[in-house]
Structure formats: structure tokens, C-alpha cells
């Protein structure tokens, strides 16, 4: 629903059935610990490249098997952000989730296909809401207790994660993210047109260019009617996407 007032205990009442954690204090503690751990220089690389989780029985939205700890971390943070925005609107929790994401974003590689889709979907959702609350003049950018501040922080953080995924250093290991962007290209086209989002235009231009070249490569492949075929088309033409990424990330 619409957010009229943001507070640490706002939103609908929590119960054992609709709350994904035992208590707010437990969630605070977990996020603070995660923030501290994510500041370790080896945590990001190990989480996304080395540590595999064979199964995740507690994750109910989707059966997850053989997923990296990093992909699982991303999914968990995205779920926490969505729950926070929709239900409790807590600025402290939001800033901590975003801080963890920023700490690990340079190391995001080999994302699970579901994690790549969720990252793209939640980014789109936050951009749409951000545009809406800006148009309503619902708060200020520097105040995380207002809708503009909250959705702006989430939008910029998630766009930053995607930019790192599309960087020349990480692109080859993030073709699932490229595919997810192409899959949602119609919604992104609507986002690109919104004048309210001019403050994050550079990040949107990067995504727009990658979507354009990747979509063209998939169509030229001719037989890319399934995700696996589309992935083959992208993998076989990675150098062309890399050229775009390098051009976007050139200094100056």
C-alpha cells in the first residue's frame, strides 16, 4: 500500500505466520554481523567463487541447489529489502542491507539464474516506485525515513550492483544477469523514458546499451528461443558485449 508515514515500527503488525524472522532484534543483530563480515576483503571473493551451498531447505520461494553463498546472500538481502519496504519501513535495516550489498557488489560473479532474475526484478520494482514517489514529492533524497529517500537508496544500490556485474572485469561471469536484463527489456524501456530519474541516468544508460547489443546478438543467433539458446548466443559473442562494457567504463 501507499506509505504515508515511515517509522521503525510502522507498517502492518507482524505475526509468526507473515514474518520471515523471529524478531526485529534478531534481524538487527544478523545484519550488523553480516555488515562486519562483508567488510573483510576475502569474504566477497570467497562467497561468490568458492563456497557452494548444496541445498537451502528454508528458502521457500524456490528450490535452490548447488548455489554459491554469494548468490544466496544476494537473494536473502533482496528479500529483506522487499519485506522492509512493504511492511516495516525501517531506515536502519534498509541502510544496513544496502551497505552489505555495496561491500560485496565488486565481487558479484557467477550468479545463480534465479538470483540474476530476482536482482533485475527488484531493481525494476524499486525504480518504478522511486519514480512515483519523486513525482509525488514524497520526501527528500537524504532522509531515509521518507519514501523518496528509501526507494532512492535501494534503486541506486541495486543499479550499482548491476553496474559491477556488467563491468569489463566481471561481465564474462555474469551472462545470466545480461540475459535477465534482456528478458525484462520492455519494462526497462519504460524506465529509460522517465524524466523523474535523471539523477541516475548514467547507470540507466549503461544498462540500456548492454540490453541493446545483447538483444541484437540473441536475435541474430536465429535459434535463441529458449533461455539456454539465448545464453549460448551471448556466450558465443561475449567480446561484442565486452566492447560495449569497456566503452561505457572508460575513464572520463
Amino acid at each position: 500500500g501507499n506509505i504515508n508515514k515511515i517509522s521503525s515500527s510502522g507498517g502492518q503488525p507482524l505475526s509468526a505466520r507473515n514474518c520471515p524472522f523471529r524478531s526485529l532484534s534478531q534481524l538487527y543483530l544478523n545484519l550488523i554481523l553480516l555488515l562486519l563480515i562483508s567488510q573483510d576483503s576475502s569474504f566477497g571473493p570467497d562467497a561468490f567463487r568458492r563456497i557452494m551451498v548444496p541445498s537451502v531447505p528454508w528458502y521457500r520461494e524456490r528450490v535452490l541447489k548447488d548455489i554459491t553463498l554469494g548468490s544466496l546472500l544476494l537473494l536473502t538481502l533482496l528479500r529483506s529489502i522487499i519485506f522492509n519496504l512493504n511492511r516495516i519501513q525501517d531506515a536502519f535495516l534498509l541502510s544496513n542491507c544496502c551497505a552489505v550489498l555495496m561491500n560485496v557488489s565488486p565481487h558479484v560473479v557467477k550468479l545463480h539464474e534465479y538470483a540474476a532474475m530476482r536482482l533485475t526484478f527488484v531493481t525494476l520494482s524499486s525504480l518504478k516506485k522511486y519514480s512515483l514517489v519523486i513525482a509525488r514529492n514524497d520526501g527528500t533524497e537524504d532522509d531515509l525515513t521518507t519514501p523518496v529517500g528509501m526507494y532512492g537508496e535501494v534503486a541506486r544500490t541495486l543499479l550499482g550492483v548491476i553496474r559491477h556485474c556488467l563491468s569489463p572485469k566481471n561481465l564474462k561471469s555474469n551472462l545470466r544477469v545480461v540475459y535477465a536484463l534482456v528478458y525484462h527489456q520492455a519494462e526497462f524501456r519504460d524506465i529509460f523514458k522517465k524524466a523523474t530519474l535523471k539523477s541516475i541516468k548514467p547507470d540507466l544508460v549503461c544498462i540500456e546499451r548492454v540490453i541493446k547489443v545483447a538483444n541484437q546478438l540473441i536475435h541474430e543467433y536465429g535459434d535463441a528461443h529458449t533461455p539456454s539458446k539465448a545464453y549460448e548466443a551471448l556466450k558465443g559473442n561475449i567480446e561484442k558485449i565486452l566492447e560495449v562494457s569497456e566503452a561505457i567504463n572508460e575513464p572520463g
Side-chain angles (χ1 to χ4, degrees):
N2 292 335
I3 300 174
N4 297 314
K5 183 177 180 181
I6 307 296
S7 69
S8 61
S9 58
Q12 303 174 34
L14 302 179
S15 70
R17 294 185 65 184
N18 61 26
C19 183
F21 47 87
R22 292 180 182 177
S23 66
L24 275 176
S25 58
Q26 181 195 49
L27 187 57
Y28 284 138
L29 180 59
N30 288 345
L31 273 173
I32 291 170
L33 291 173
L34 191 53
L35 179 59
L36 291 172
I37 294 170
S38 70
Q39 292 170 359
D40 188 296
S41 60
S42 65
F43 175 75
D46 284 349
F48 285 95
R49 293 179 182 273
R50 295 182 57 191
I51 305 173
M52 297 295 297
V53 181
S55 64
V56 192
W58 51 265
Y59 194 89
R60 298 177 181 177
E61 287 88 337
R62 166 109 173 215
V63 175
L64 299 173
K65 293 183 178 180
D66 297 323
I67 184 172
T68 63
L69 178 62
S71 288
L72 183 57
L73 170 63
L74 179 64
L75 284 169
T76 305
L77 288 170
L78 290 173
R79 185 164 72 169
S80 298
I81 287 172
I82 292 169
F83 184 83
N84 189 19
L85 290 174
N86 291 342
R87 299 296 303 281
I88 56 178
Q89 295 100 45
D90 187 299
F92 177 78
L93 291 179
L94 187 78
S95 62
N96 274 275
C97 283
C98 290
V100 175
L101 281 171
M102 286 188 285
N103 284 344
V104 302
S105 60
H107 312 289
V108 176
V109 292
K110 301 179 180 178
L111 268 188
H112 187 279
E113 58 185 15
Y114 180 65
M117 280 292 183
R118 289 300 294 166
L119 171 62
T120 306
F121 177 80
V122 177
T123 301
L124 274 168
S125 298
S126 66
L127 286 169
K128 291 174 184 176
K129 187 68 176 184
Y130 182 39
S131 176
L132 182 64
V133 295
I134 288 176
R136 292 201 312 237
N137 198 26
D138 205 351
T140 58
E141 296 282 359
D142 58 353
D143 186 353
L144 284 187
T145 64
T146 68
V148 168
M150 277 195 161
Y151 283 98
E153 182 74 2
V154 172
R156 283 187 293 272
T157 299
L158 296 183
L159 284 173
V161 174
I162 291 176
R163 281 293 301 266
H164 278 292
C165 290
L166 302 180
S167 69
K169 174 186 174 184
N170 296 335
L171 179 64
K172 289 183 178 180
S173 298
N174 280 317
L175 290 182
R176 289 192 178 96
V177 176
V178 176
Y179 174 75
L181 294 173
V182 174
Y183 183 84
H184 287 286
Q185 62 179 303
E187 292 168 277
F188 271 111
R189 276 198 293 268
D190 292 337
I191 292 293
F192 299 147
K193 297 173 185 175
K194 293 186 182 296
T196 48
L197 300 178
K198 58 181 180 292
S199 66
I200 51 177
K201 188 68 174 176
D203 288 324
L204 294 177
V205 168
C206 167
I207 292 173
E208 184 177 19
R209 290 179 182 174
V210 170
I211 287 176
K212 183 178 179 180
V213 68
N215 185 54
Q216 183 179 346
L217 291 170
I218 290 172
H219 277 286
E220 288 176 354
Y221 193 74
D223 188 33
H225 302 303
T226 63
S228 60
K229 291 289 186 181
Y231 188 75
E232 280 181 26
L234 295 174
K235 192 174 182 180
N237 293 278
I238 185 64
E239 296 303 325
K240 293 182 180 179
I241 309 174
L242 197 54
E243 285 176 11
V244 175
S245 175
E246 289 170 346
I248 293 169
N249 288 279
E250 281 181 355

